[in-house]
Amino acid sequence: MARIDETAKLFKIYSDVTRLRIIDLLTQGEFCVQDICRRLSLQQSTVSHQLKLLRDENVVTRRRDGKNVYYALKDEHVRTIYEMARSHVEEC
Amino acid sequence: MARIDETAKLFKIYSDVTRLRIIDLLTQGEFCVQDICRRLSLQQSTVSHQLKLLRDENVVTRRRDGKNVYYALKDEHVRTIYEMARSHVEEC
DNA sequence: TTGACATATGAAAGTTCAATCATATAAAAT
DNA sequence: ATTTTATATGATTGAACTTTCATATGTCAA
């Protein structure tokens, strides 16, 4: 039962369009918050809130460099999950 | 953009504990609505509503036999996605 | 040390979604 | 035909989630 809860949680973090757009961008590399805002036309607050959720679920890593904070996908796992889902969607 | 929307939708259908419990049960075979209710201790209405969502997203198939309606996982795709997510959770 | 820029975060507002209730439809049994 | 059993579904309520607004925190430059 706890296993199913965890699985639902895994799917949930990827189930929001804003978060998925951020993840999609991060497949291209590391970006700071501003970059993400500009590229995706999102408010800074929205992005920071979603990045916090992604961080809490170990989807992204955080690195501060001066005033900027850079985010990147945590590991290949994340990339794999995203790519797999994307390719599954293509097939339909 | 439409691709990302579709991907989010795919993740969303798997992101609810009740739906995931139903999917988990259906990995064992075909069950009618009542069976699902009994096995998972859920109300008939709850189960029917969730089965409708799963049907709309092509996760399950429906087969009527007399008064009963039997549901099963639509294809191996669904099984693959679920198994993959589960095994990913195990690793953490 | 003050001002400017970047990010984070609490609270309120807005939105989506699941469970429940009531009821409709469908099939079989009497 | 009517009752019983199984399933589906519209409407409502309540909870969970996302966005926005306002503001706080952190870093650098002047």
Side-chain angles (χ1 to χ4, degrees):
Chain A
M1 186 58 46
R3 210 190 56 239
I4 291 183
D5 275 42
E6 284 299 309
T7 308
K9 217 164 139 195
L10 172 73
F11 280 117
K12 188 162 284 164
I13 197 71
Y14 290 92
S15 73
D16 176 77
V17 172
T18 302
R19 282 193 296 272
L20 221 48
R21 290 178 69 208
I22 293 173
I23 290 170
D24 185 69
L25 179 61
L26 296 183
T27 58
Q28 292 170 42
E30 199 187 44
F31 293 87
C32 72
V33 178
Q34 286 187 99
D35 288 343
I36 299 172
C37 295
R38 284 198 211 95
R39 300 259 204 154
L40 306 181
S41 303
L42 293 170
Q43 284 194 189
Q44 180 268 315
S45 176
T46 299
V47 170
S48 281
H49 275 296
Q50 295 303 340
L51 284 171
K52 174 158 178 41
L53 295 176
L54 291 170
R55 199 142 38 82
D56 290 349
E57 292 300 322
N58 284 300
V59 174
V60 299
T61 56
R62 195 185 116 105
R63 175 178 75 81
R64 181 179 275 281
D65 180 9
K67 281 182 289 188
N68 300 302
V69 176
Y70 289 87
Y71 284 87
L73 296 186
K74 182 124 182 186
D75 53 31
E76 283 307 309
H77 250 162
V78 173
R79 199 176 297 267
T80 305
I81 291 172
Y82 179 60
E83 299 285 333
M84 226 219 30
R86 256 196 40 187
S87 73
H88 181 262
V89 163
E90 310 274 295
E91 291 171 40
C92 298
Chain B
M1 186 59 45
R3 209 190 58 240
I4 291 184
D5 274 43
E6 283 300 309
T7 309
K9 219 162 135 195
L10 172 72
F11 280 117
K12 190 163 283 166
I13 196 72
Y14 289 93
S15 74
D16 176 77
V17 172
T18 301
R19 282 193 294 274
L20 223 47
R21 289 177 70 207
I22 293 173
I23 291 169
D24 185 69
L25 179 61
L26 296 183
T27 59
Q28 292 169 44
E30 200 187 42
F31 293 87
C32 72
V33 178
Q34 285 187 97
D35 288 342
I36 299 173
C37 295
R38 285 198 212 94
R39 299 259 205 155
L40 306 181
S41 304
L42 293 170
Q43 283 195 189
Q44 180 268 315
S45 176
T46 300
V47 170
S48 281
H49 274 296
Q50 296 304 338
L51 284 170
K52 174 159 179 40
L53 295 176
L54 291 170
R55 198 142 39 83
D56 290 349
E57 291 301 322
N58 285 300
V59 174
V60 300
T61 56
R62 197 184 115 106
R63 176 177 74 80
R64 180 178 277 280
D65 180 10
K67 281 183 291 188
N68 300 301
V69 176
Y70 290 87
Y71 284 88
L73 295 186
K74 182 126 182 185
D75 54 31
E76 282 307 309
H77 250 162
V78 173
R79 200 176 296 267
T80 305
I81 291 172
Y82 179 60
E83 298 285 333
M84 225 220 32
R86 255 196 40 186
S87 72
H88 181 262
V89 164
E90 310 273 297
E91 292 172 37
C92 299

